[in-house]
Amino acid sequence: QHNGRRWPSNSFLRYVFLQRHLKAIHCVAFFRFLLELGLGGWITLVAVGWAGEGGGEFPTYHSSARPEPGDREAFFILGGALALLGLLRLVQLAAASRRLSWSRRLGQCLGVLDFITPLTLPLGLWALLVYRHPDTRHLFHREPSADGAGT
């Protein structure tokens, strides 16, 4: 107590700050979904333009660019991987908003994938810190329903 007022308990404050961190992580995940899906789509369209399948309608990397053997396939793979990663983030975001227990584990896996590049390493560490916190486990843990089938 301070000046006759009772301060909130430490666990309540941790819960409030944890909720703020989860909301911030969800906002960042949404923008990353948009970025990864857009970049993956653009890279794939460039590969289609190089393959000559678009008849000049698709964007090219550069007007004088001449792909080496295997470049098109690498661009297809990179674009598809980025689009898939963006869709995984969207699935995790939708499931985490419903507090499904498996979304916490998927968030941890996506956080580990962020360790690949130095640019996203802080985001991965932040996601792991929040999703591995004991209070987050309780938040995403669902009680079994009355019929015995849990989520």
Side-chain angles (χ1 to χ4, degrees):
Q1 286 189 352
H2 185 266
N3 294 336
R5 285 189 344 206
R6 180 171 170 84
W7 289 95
S9 69
N10 190 20
S11 63
F12 175 74
L13 287 176
R14 280 194 331 234
Y15 179 77
V16 169
F17 287 124
L18 183 67
Q19 290 288 334
R20 288 181 183 170
H21 280 286
L22 283 173
K23 284 181 184 179
I25 285 175
H26 292 164
C27 289
V28 169
F30 179 73
F31 287 117
R32 288 185 71 187
F33 153 71
L34 292 176
L35 180 69
E36 289 167 350
L37 194 65
L39 187 59
W42 180 77
I43 289 173
T44 302
L45 287 178
V46 167
V48 168
W50 271 348
E53 298 169 8
E57 298 174 12
F58 292 102
T60 59
Y61 178 69
H62 190 270
S63 60
S64 65
R66 301 291 178 254
E68 299 282 329
D71 282 353
R72 290 182 204 127
E73 292 79 11
F75 269 60
F76 277 125
I77 291 170
L78 180 63
L82 279 172
L84 179 66
L85 189 59
L87 291 175
L88 276 174
R89 285 195 199 284
L90 181 64
V91 167
Q92 194 275 334
L93 181 63
S97 67
R98 297 187 61 213
R99 302 285 192 251
L100 298 178
S101 60
W102 56 267
S103 67
R104 185 179 144 269
R105 181 75 60 190
L106 182 58
Q108 290 175 8
C109 293
L110 290 171
V112 169
L113 283 178
D114 286 337
F115 283 29
I116 293 173
T117 64
L119 183 64
T120 59
L121 177 65
L123 295 174
L125 289 172
W126 181 36
L128 284 178
L129 180 69
V130 172
Y131 280 120
R132 290 196 48 84
H133 194 276
D135 290 341
T136 307
R137 285 187 197 144
H138 297 300
L139 188 64
F140 282 90
H141 178 70
R142 290 251 174 138
E143 294 295 325
S145 60
D147 62 356
T151 53

